[in-house]
Amino acid sequence: MITLFWCPRSRAARALWMLEELGEPFEIKEIDIQDPKSKNDMAFQIASPMGKVPAIADGDVMLAESAAICMYLADKYTGAGLAPAIDDAARGRYLYWMMFTPGVLEPAMAEKFGGWEPKPYSHGWGDFDSMIKTLEAGLKGGDWILGDRFSAADVMLGSSANFLKMFGILPESGPIDAYIERCLARPAYQRALAREEG
């Protein structure tokens, strides 16, 4: 059974959503990231060398980082249809959008929160405004980032877009707002939210 190392009100929410989408049995082990003693769990230390959540243990496989977790789960548990196959032409776009959250969206959020001067030609993520424009353009092809097909990339992007809105830094954006609403309406997201609030 998959074990999710989790802490409420953290990025672990997206791994919880992913597991709910997957439909495979899993258990949750809460890690209080504010309490150093909570991080003494040996399995958690192996899965997450930096002591961050989310992390998972799935048999002999142990890993952390949301994008890595979502990619691993989508590729291993193919029955849920959450990732294009390796030889599917959509795989390239899927990989790009899987990495957009950790590589572009989250650094751009840090730029915005930190009041850093935008330097689109020297910062690997570009800047906050170009991140928003790129995400809006990516959503023009359908309800989901891959068009009509929901994928693990939507778990990453949808949760992150919702964080932008919750933190009050999402500029007015009809396409992103509508996308967030579609994500929030998914039954798996609602189940994950109920666990978060329970």
Side-chain angles (χ1 to χ4, degrees):
M1 181 183 292
I2 302 164
T3 299
L4 170 65
F5 299 99
W6 169 88
C7 180
R9 293 170 299 284
S10 72
R11 286 182 181 89
R14 64 173 62 121
L16 183 55
W17 176 17
M18 179 67 185
L19 285 163
E20 290 288 356
E21 292 283 355
L22 212 60
E24 295 289 332
F26 68 94
E27 62 182 2
I28 294 174
K29 183 155 192 183
E30 186 168 347
I31 301 292
D32 182 351
I33 56 176
Q34 302 296 324
D35 178 5
K37 291 179 183 173
S38 185
K39 297 180 183 180
N40 289 340
D41 181 285
M42 187 55 69
F44 176 63
Q45 288 180 8
I46 294 168
S48 182
M50 288 190 68
K52 293 167 39 176
V53 293
I56 63 165
D58 183 21
D60 292 335
V61 176
M62 305 182 89
L63 72 153
E65 299 298 336
S66 300
I69 290 168
C70 288
M71 287 174 66
Y72 164 77
L73 292 172
D75 284 344
K76 179 172 181 184
Y77 299 97
T78 57
L82 295 174
I86 296 288
D87 58 353
D88 186 325
R91 182 75 177 190
R93 283 184 54 232
Y94 164 77
L95 292 173
Y96 173 79
W97 289 111
M98 282 298 298
M99 294 291 98
F100 193 81
T101 287
V104 178
L105 197 152
E106 288 184 345
M109 283 178 71
E111 171 192 300
K112 191 75 164 174
F113 278 128
W116 306 341
E117 178 187 351
K119 295 182 179 178
Y121 300 106
S122 59
H123 289 158
W125 63 88
D127 62 16
F128 186 86
D129 292 341
S130 62
M131 177 274 291
I132 293 291
K133 288 177 188 169
T134 302
L135 181 54
E136 286 177 333
L139 292 170
K140 287 184 178 175
D143 283 348
W144 309 110
I145 201 66
L146 298 182
D148 295 332
R149 178 181 185 175
F150 180 85
S151 72
D154 293 299
V155 173
M156 292 295 296
L157 291 169
S159 59
S160 299
N162 193 38
F163 291 155
L164 289 171
K165 190 169 189 173
M166 287 169 48
F167 297 146
I169 61 171
L170 179 66
E172 197 169 311
S173 173
I176 297 176
D177 278 329
Y179 176 62
I180 292 168
E181 290 307 311
R182 288 191 295 276
C183 290
L184 293 177
R186 291 188 66 82
Y189 188 94
Q190 290 299 314
R191 290 192 301 273
L193 189 61
R195 284 185 189 252
E196 281 271 330
E197 294 175 348

